Amino acid sequence: MNTPAPPTNETRGSLACVGMGMTLGSHLTPLARSHIEQADVVFAGLSDGIVELWLQRMHPDVRSLQPYYREGKSRLQTYREWVELMMAEVRAGKRVCGVFYGHPGIFAWSPHKAIAAARAEGFHAHMEPGISAEDCLYADLGIDPGRFGCQHFEASQLLFYERRIDASGYLVLWQAALVGDRSLGRLATGPAYRQLLVDRLVRDYPPQHEAIIYRAPTLPIEKPRIRRVALRDLARAPMSAEETVVLPPAFPLRPNLAMQARLAELDELEQAATVA
């Protein structure tokens, strides 16, 4: 493989991957908008055609990445194509901005890879964060992850790997509608696959435990979609790829009495040292 020639000052391109946020218009930060407006070319990896049309009002050269998806085609192949599309323009000396829904670094393979590739070739590359579905989830469901703790898994990881679940904290499962897809080419799997997920989860949760199916709004006129079902019924619940499954804590936190005793000893030693 030939090593690309280092860019010259006259042709030096750059890459910025920014987050559009989840809700049209209201989540775009001033700095992300600045990257979009100052770019020579903008690539759009957005989840809603209306949001893409809105983006086109901010820049004359917006190129959609959505047509590279295709049923049966591996998403990894699509994401690699996205990286090469952006890098081709960077190598041509252009200021490139990749705009992605939510946060460009959360469940987004291409922005990370494109930034790494650009930096490896000597180009300036930057990621600008955005409001993600996770941020909306905390607000809409009234969850404080600092209260009981919060675990996040891509749902298929619970089937592909041995992962430990702490059912005394919140559990957030991403892309549950695609659970079990090993081809990376499906747009959804189905109830039989989700039943395997339920079978895995009931090892740690009661079958009647609440499961919340959540989707953040993408348009200002929309409200968050929140459905609550028993865990045992989760496999039969209709679900889209944009929805996330949340399991609230099932059990109270168990005190670590041995560690608390050691902490009490340290407190006493510190107090004694202060008095002395």
Side-chain angles (χ1 to χ4, degrees):
M1 180 180 295
N2 294 328
T3 302
T8 66
N9 290 334
E10 292 76 22
T11 62
R12 182 175 292 276
S14 64
L15 173 65
C17 291
V18 307
M20 180 68 83
M22 296 304 298
T23 304
L24 173 63
S26 59
H27 288 173
L28 184 66
T29 67
L31 190 52
R33 178 186 288 270
S34 176
H35 280 294
I36 294 168
E37 294 175 341
Q38 294 179 21
D40 296 315
V41 57
V42 174
F43 289 94
L46 302 173
S47 60
D48 192 300
I50 296 177
V51 180
E52 192 169 299
L53 289 173
W54 184 79
L55 177 63
Q56 291 173 359
R57 296 170 56 186
M58 297 190 334
H59 198 281
D61 189 1
V62 174
R63 306 178 190 180
S64 177
L65 295 170
Q66 292 301 113
Y68 292 87
Y69 282 119
R70 189 171 64 249
E71 179 75 36
K73 176 184 177 183
S74 170
R75 291 188 296 278
L76 189 56
Q77 180 184 345
T78 297
Y79 299 154
R80 285 174 176 151
E81 290 171 351
W82 289 7
V83 172
E84 188 52 40
L85 286 166
M86 290 187 284
M87 284 303 302
E89 297 297 333
V90 171
R91 294 177 186 124
K94 294 182 181 179
R95 292 171 298 179
V96 177
C97 183
V99 184
F100 299 87
Y101 71 91
H103 188 303
I106 297 179
F107 282 88
W109 187 90
S110 299
H112 286 292
K113 292 299 181 180
I115 287 174
R119 289 174 177 171
E121 295 181 25
F123 297 102
H124 176 73
H126 170 74
M127 179 178 286
E128 185 62 28
I131 294 177
S132 69
E134 177 186 349
D135 301 310
C136 297
L137 181 152
Y138 292 144
D140 292 333
L141 298 184
I143 292 174
D144 179 356
R147 186 178 181 191
F148 301 114
C150 190
Q151 287 182 298
H152 292 258
F153 294 109
E154 197 278 334
S156 289
Q157 286 193 4
L158 294 184
L159 303 187
F160 297 162
Y161 306 102
E162 293 288 343
R163 305 302 305 264
R164 292 184 179 180
I165 294 175
D166 180 357
S168 61
Y170 289 97
L171 178 67
V172 181
L173 300 176
W174 300 93
Q175 299 180 334
L178 294 168
V179 68
D181 176 26
R182 296 184 294 173
S183 70
L184 298 180
R186 303 187 198 182
L187 301 181
T189 46
Y193 289 82
R194 289 200 296 276
Q195 185 59 52
L196 293 179
L197 176 63
V198 171
D199 293 345
R200 168 62 187 87
L201 291 171
V202 294
R203 288 162 44 186
D204 295 283
Y205 295 89
Q208 69 275 15
H209 188 67
E210 179 182 72
I212 305 170
I213 305 172
Y214 168 82
R215 179 178 179 178
T218 57
L219 300 177
I221 60 173
E222 294 178 336
K223 293 184 178 180
R225 184 177 180 183
I226 302 171
R227 292 179 289 149
R228 302 174 190 271
V229 301
L231 176 57
R232 60 172 168 258
D233 299 326
L234 183 63
R236 298 188 298 275
M239 199 177 304
S240 69
E242 296 80 17
E243 289 178 304
T244 302
V245 174
V246 181
L247 272 63
F251 307 103
L253 295 171
R254 292 194 304 173
N256 186 333
L257 299 179
M259 187 59 70
Q260 290 193 29
R262 293 178 63 184
L263 288 168
E265 292 176 2
L266 285 177
D267 290 342
E268 291 178 3
L269 289 174
E270 285 197 356
Q271 289 175 3
T274 302
V275 173

